Amino acid sequence: MATRILAVDDDIITLELIKTLLPSDDFSVTAFTNPVDALASLKKNSYDLILSDYFMPQMDGREFLEEVRKRGIDDLPFIFLTANTDVQQAIELIKAGADDYICKPFQASELIFRIGKTIKEKKNQRAIELFNVRIVKDLESAALLQRALLPQPFTGIDNITFDWIFNPCNEIGGDIFNIFKLDNDHIGIFSIDVSGHGVSAALLSFALSKILSPLPDQSSLIRNYTETHRRIMIVPPGEVAGHLNIRFPLDSITEQYFTLLYGILDRKSLEFCYVSAGHPPIIHHAYKAFPRIMYKTSPAIGFIAGFEYQEHSIYLKSGDRLYLYTDGIIETRNAEKQFFGEKRFADALTESGDSTLKEALQASVSALNQWRGRTKANDDIFILGIEIA
């Protein structure tokens, strides 16, 4: 199919030259001596490219270009024909939305080359824009899926309150967490931070969330269900981490890995038994006391084959709070490249000790944002608070 050219120039000789130089087998040229008639033709016909002079009656080339773009024809290639003395003007026109310019007088080879090159570049640009639109839609869908994996508000637990803040730095990230009942007396809690960001981190976090979230009346990595005896056997946190360490060795090609904090909260004894694999330390804020940073962690999952993960316990009392979080909190930097750190985070929680759990979480994030200032967040922000009534 011949390339359809709309040529606009008040010089009839130039228009005839364009028709002569462009082979009729490859090009179909529609010519006008003024932009008004050309705009009327654009309403009725489609073209592959516009060739336009600058100095013309009724409106100049810039005004013609603006009218074309106003009509929503942003993807139609537009080349200006200009005299050698007007090169700077042509450059300004390109900044205004033109795609290229050709200096008069021009040769057939240059004209054909520039037309083909401009059309190809415009097609590539459209393809990239469509591709980016699809990526954005896919990321938005993945973000919806990620939010769907987040825990629902807990009901039926009178003595324990849970609240959290989760702000991914992009559409999707590698942080994921969940809270669930293992049986009537035990609650499972995990927090995972996959290295990196974007799709690859999200895919692994999705998979881990499914592996660690139990299904009713089914055995899983964290809970064994025996239908014969109608019994649930809860897998200790250390064993869970050990199984994950075997299943997800460090990938030497992608260098992707994840940190894990998995714990089991006993509703009756209020013991929180947990394992930390490379995860930031838990903060234990006992009632009417200063928060304690629990520096007890082991290597991230997959770093050391056969590693035996040690369990730790925190015994909670009425009014106590636990804070679980990922490194997006403590590794946030300010304008001077200083980390927010565990100490500042704990201090922010101390200042909000008399507030509700939700207010304490919000205050800590406010302190974090104030510390960061205008520095862009480059990691997910996640905090989970647990309070004993």
Side-chain angles (χ1 to χ4, degrees), residues 291-339:
R292 289 192 306 150
I293 303 172
M294 313 299 288
Y295 290 106
K296 295 179 180 179
T297 188
S298 300
I301 298 297
F303 269 70
I304 301 176
F307 187 84
E308 294 185 7
Y309 287 89
Q310 184 179 358
E311 297 171 3
H312 307 280
S313 290
I314 300 173
Y315 293 90
L316 303 173
K317 297 179 181 179
S318 177
D320 284 7
R321 293 175 179 177
L322 287 183
Y323 295 98
L324 285 60
Y325 53 97
T326 51
D327 60 11
I329 297 287
I330 57 177
E331 293 185 1
T332 291
R333 297 175 184 262
N334 62 5
E336 287 73 38
K337 305 298 183 182
Q338 297 172 316
F339 288 121

Side-chain angles (χ1 to χ4, degrees), residues 81-384:
L81 303 174
T82 182
N84 280 319
T85 56
D86 298 324
V87 172
Q88 185 58 42
Q89 182 185 65
I91 293 174
E92 293 300 319
L93 291 171
I94 288 178
K95 292 179 180 179
D99 296 287
D100 202 355
Y101 69 91
I102 301 175
C103 291
K104 300 177 182 179
F106 43 78
Q107 302 294 321
S109 58
E110 180 186 12
L111 185 63
I112 293 172
F113 172 76
R114 290 290 190 91
I115 288 174
K117 174 176 175 290
T118 302
I119 290 176
K120 182 179 179 180
E121 288 177 348
K122 205 70 175 182
K123 285 182 178 178
N124 289 340
Q125 181 182 338
R126 285 199 295 268
I128 291 172
E129 289 172 352
L130 290 172
F131 180 71
N132 287 337
V133 168
R134 288 197 296 269
I135 287 178
V136 169
K137 289 183 178 179
D138 288 344
L139 289 175
E140 290 173 348
S141 298
L144 289 174
L145 175 59
Q146 188 176 47
R147 286 193 287 271
L149 292 175
L150 299 180
Q152 299 300 313
F154 253 65
T155 58
I157 302 178
D158 298 330
N159 62 329
I160 306 171
T161 300
F162 299 91
D163 212 330
W164 57 83
I165 291 177
F166 180 58
N167 297 328
C169 66
N170 298 308
E171 290 85 353
I172 54 174
D175 288 12
I176 199 76
F177 71 101
N178 204 356
I179 309 166
F180 42 82
K181 291 182 179 179
L182 290 165
D183 59 21
N184 290 332
D185 297 326
H186 298 88
I187 300 169
I189 304 163
F190 70 76
S191 171
I192 290 172
D193 184 3
V194 178
S195 61
H197 307 289
V199 175
S200 60
L203 287 174
L204 181 53
S205 71
F206 292 163
L208 292 168
S209 178
K210 290 297 184 182
I211 291 172
L212 289 170
S213 299
L215 294 173
D217 299 337
Q218 291 187 23
S219 294
S220 66
L221 181 63
I222 60 176
R223 185 177 67 179
N224 294 323
Y225 179 79
T226 57
E227 188 172 353
T228 304
H229 300 93
R230 298 285 180 177
R231 291 185 59 193
I232 294 175
M233 302 295 292
I234 298 174
V235 180
E239 290 186 25
V240 171
H243 287 309
L244 289 173
N245 193 55
I246 296 171
R247 190 166 178 178
F248 293 93
L250 177 65
D251 192 322
S252 59
I253 298 175
T254 65
E255 297 185 347
Q256 192 174 50
Y257 66 93
F258 63 93
T259 66
L260 166 75
L261 193 145
Y262 175 59
I264 299 173
L265 179 58
D266 189 315
R267 294 177 57 189
K268 292 182 177 179
S269 68
L270 298 181
E271 177 192 8
F272 183 65
C273 179
Y274 71 96
V275 63
S276 178
H279 218 63
I282 292 175
I283 293 180
H284 177 204
H285 193 181
Y287 185 63
K288 296 297 183 181
F290 289 105
R292 289 192 306 150
I293 303 172
M294 313 299 288
Y295 290 106
K296 295 179 180 179
T297 188
S298 300
I301 298 297
F303 269 70
I304 301 176
F307 187 84
E308 294 185 7
Y309 287 89
Q310 184 179 358
E311 297 171 3
H312 307 280
S313 290
I314 300 173
Y315 293 90
L316 303 173
K317 297 179 181 179
S318 177
D320 284 7
R321 293 175 179 177
L322 287 183
Y323 295 98
L324 285 60
Y325 53 97
T326 51
D327 60 11
I329 297 287
I330 57 177
E331 293 185 1
T332 291
R333 297 175 184 262
N334 62 5
E336 287 73 38
K337 305 298 183 182
Q338 297 172 316
F339 288 121
F340 188 61
E342 294 100 341
K343 179 64 168 56
R344 289 187 182 87
F345 182 35
D347 289 344
L349 295 172
T350 301
E351 294 175 4
S352 57
D354 294 330
S355 305
T356 65
L357 182 61
K358 181 181 288 293
E359 290 171 344
L361 295 178
Q362 292 171 342
S364 65
V365 172
S366 295
L368 177 72
N369 291 334
Q370 185 176 0
W371 169 261
R372 182 174 64 233
R374 295 186 177 182
T375 305
K376 184 179 179 181
N378 57 10
D379 204 351
D380 301 335
I381 299 299
F382 161 65
I383 315 171
L384 168 65

Side-chain angles (χ1 to χ4, degrees), residues 23-76:
S24 58
D25 291 342
D26 299 322
F27 296 91
S28 172
V29 180
T30 303
F32 293 95
T33 56
N34 68 81
V36 175
D37 292 340
L39 288 171
S41 180
L42 276 171
K43 291 182 180 180
K44 303 176 183 178
N45 306 287
S46 60
Y47 297 96
D48 298 310
L49 181 138
I50 295 176
L51 286 173
S52 174
D53 192 22
Y54 184 81
F55 295 105
M56 298 181 292
Q58 297 179 280
M59 67 176 68
D60 62 26
R62 179 189 286 271
E63 292 170 332
F64 177 44
L65 172 63
E66 290 174 351
E67 288 298 323
V68 170
R69 298 308 188 215
K70 281 181 184 178
R71 284 164 167 73
I73 317 177
D74 295 330
D75 59 350
L76 181 60

